Amino acid sequence: MIFELIADRLAAIGRAGLMRRRLAREGAQGPRIRVEGREYVAFCSNDYLGLANHPRVVEAAVVAARRHGIGQGASHLLSGHSAEHDRLESALAEFVRMPRALLFSSGYQANIGVITALAGPEDVVYSDALNHASLIDGVRLSRAQVVRYPHGDVDFLSRALASYGGGTRLVVTDGVFSMDGDIAPLPGLLDLCERHDALLVLDDAHGFGVLGPEGRGSPAYFSAQSPRLVYVGTLGKAAGVSGAFVAGAPDIVETVLQRARTYIYTTATPALLCAAVEASLQLIRDDEWRRERLRAHIGSLKRLLSDVEPRLGRSDTPIQPLVLGANARALDAAGALRERGILVPAIRPPTVPEGTARLRISLSAAHSEEDIARLTGALREACARGAEAHA
Ligand SMILES: *Cc1c(COP(=O)(O)O)cnc(C)c1O
């Protein structure tokens, strides 16, 4: 019976310690959230700059909703596209210093769209082993030949580019790796792309708004610019809204517009969100203090946990992983923190490799110094207890 088969498979997920549960947050996103009537300090959002509930962003959306309504009613290539989309695309291209940008409804769709638009069965994609699921799915859907290179290994990639060729070649990488927080070696990757006539598809979901001068992302962080760069920025993380964009050379962006099925066959993003992103972009650009505060929190967290085992991963970004190993250990630690009113997600396979379950701490400029101190105090206890329990 099909229902028994489905129930068996669900039970297997449970036995492996891989059942996922959603929290139903009450009220807006922020550093303190209510769940089932209890208040928690939360370290689980990607709202790095604290803009998801910013009054100016909210106001821009409300005003735009009154003017433009809510729904776009159609895809971009029918009647869903608007002057607001055009204006935001220009603003985003200007912000990341690229010739042209194209809006998508989500980063997931943007990544799948870019890779499938640029690569097909006759082409080769070189993909970092720790890339985000949306990049992996894009590569699979493209049916290109795949070379998966060890995480951040520029030498391996260099040899691979020298040995396998043919067709279009795409190197594909996260800018800031979403579960480890480390930054991709962009200058080295771009240099290889230059030497081997390849393009670099950079998914900067966690770099946009956070890294570089004015938050212009990981290319700005490295002062790296190249016509070979195909940049994907997402607008639901540091920008605090929703959606994504692809930026790059005009012909590349036009190819994505013409070919990406995740662009063509979906309803256009509401124009009211374009207005919200424009307001958010202004704050990202102007409020350097948000990034300074974020950097201060990252420094405090590392300092306060410098003598705690296990060590934090090597990350200078707001994503700070504490790798615990077994799924049960990560779940226990997250549970112990939750009892103390602190939410940190336990991340398990397949989101991370087998045996590397972890707590993924995400910091925000909206946190206070006291929030960080509370987190580190509770982590210290949870790690000590966990080491005993799992010894
Ligand atoms: C969140 C994320 C995405 C997906 O972006 P959405 O806009 O949430 O769909 C893509 N890549 C990375 C690395 C991410 O962390």
Side-chain angles (χ1 to χ4, degrees):
M1 271 282 286
I2 193 159
F3 293 106
E4 282 158 24
L5 199 64
I6 289 169
D8 283 349
R9 287 181 185 167
L10 267 181
I13 294 173
R15 280 195 303 278
L18 292 176
M19 193 61 86
R20 294 159 186 247
R21 305 245 175 254
R22 300 174 303 172
L23 299 174
R25 193 186 68 228
E26 295 146 18
Q29 183 59 263
R32 272 176 214 78
I33 62 176
R34 289 188 81 75
V35 179
E36 290 165 6
R38 180 169 177 195
E39 190 178 280
Y40 294 91
V41 187
F43 295 91
C44 30
S45 95
N46 306 304
D47 181 21
Y48 301 121
L49 302 179
L51 299 179
N53 190 29
H54 192 286
R56 268 197 256 164
V57 178
V58 174
E59 187 58 21
V62 169
V63 168
R66 296 231 161 80
R67 195 171 300 157
H68 307 294
I70 305 289
Q72 294 305 118
S75 65
H76 282 280
L77 299 185
L78 296 178
S79 64
H81 193 70
S82 71
E84 280 63 41
H85 294 101
D86 275 343
R87 210 175 54 216
L88 179 57
E89 285 175 350
S90 302
L92 288 167
E94 197 268 330
F95 183 65
V96 296
R97 311 282 200 259
M98 311 272 290
R100 189 178 171 193
L102 181 72
L103 277 170
F104 276 78
S105 300
S106 77
Y108 194 97
Q109 286 168 292
N111 281 338
I112 290 185
V114 167
I115 296 170
T116 53
L118 295 173
E122 64 284 6
D123 303 319
V124 188
V125 177
Y126 306 80
S127 176
D128 188 287
L130 293 187
N131 274 346
H132 189 261
S134 54
L135 293 173
I136 295 170
D137 292 354
V139 174
R140 283 185 185 149
L141 273 172
S142 76
R143 289 182 291 146
Q145 190 194 326
V146 194
V147 178
R148 196 165 169 266
Y149 62 90
H151 179 49
D153 192 337
V154 176
D155 294 331
F156 186 102
L157 178 62
S158 170
R159 288 193 299 275
L161 279 162
S163 354
Y164 309 93
T168 301
R169 308 205 286 164
L170 301 184
V171 175
V172 173
T173 185
D174 282 21
V176 174
F177 286 85
S178 56
M179 296 300 141
D180 293 81
D182 57 329
I183 303 172
L186 265 195
L189 296 176
L190 275 174
D191 182 51
L192 284 180
C193 289
E194 192 64 49
R195 274 198 279 150
H196 296 281
D197 195 24
L199 295 176
L200 179 65
V201 175
L202 177 71
D203 171 5
D204 210 20
H206 301 276
F208 180 79
V210 173
L211 293 181
E214 300 183 312
R216 284 188 277 110
S218 50
Y221 171 85
F222 287 110
S223 304
Q225 259 188 342
S226 165
R228 296 181 178 276
L229 185 61
V230 185
Y231 184 87
V232 179
T234 68
L235 304 171
K237 289 173 178 161
V241 186
S242 184
F245 67 98
V246 175
D251 275 358
I252 290 176
V253 174
E254 187 63 29
T255 301
V256 176
L257 191 163
Q258 297 297 331
R259 299 201 54 201
R261 294 163 69 87
T262 53
Y263 183 78
I264 299 168
Y265 298 107
T266 196
T267 300
T269 316
L272 72 95
L273 295 184
C274 296
V277 172
E278 277 196 60
S280 160
L281 207 51
Q282 194 70 48
L283 292 161
I284 290 175
R285 196 177 289 160
D286 294 347
D287 290 0
E288 194 58 44
W289 65 266
R290 293 177 192 272
R291 280 178 293 276
E292 277 163 20
R293 197 160 143 149
L294 198 48
R295 277 194 293 274
H297 288 341
I298 295 165
S300 302
L301 182 80
K302 290 188 181 202
R303 199 173 54 252
L304 292 167
L305 290 179
S306 60
D307 59 341
V308 170
E309 288 294 337
R311 293 298 167 94
L312 285 171
R314 280 226 296 262
S315 158
D316 294 317
T317 68
I319 301 170
Q320 295 286 325
L322 196 71
V323 176
L324 293 165
N327 295 343
R329 196 159 167 214
L331 285 176
D332 284 358
L337 292 175
R338 187 165 175 174
E339 279 166 27
R340 288 174 172 72
I342 295 170
L343 289 181
V344 177
I347 308 285
R348 289 160 286 167
T351 309
V352 292
E354 208 62 54
T356 68
R358 65 195 67 185
L359 293 176
R360 175 181 184 265
I361 301 161
S362 333
L363 300 173
S364 168
H367 284 124
S368 65
E369 268 300 318
E370 194 198 336
D371 293 335
I372 310 297
R374 239 181 100 186
L375 168 68
T376 52
L379 268 174
R380 193 174 276 281
E381 280 177 45
C383 287
R385 266 208 328 201
E388 263 169 48
H390 293 270

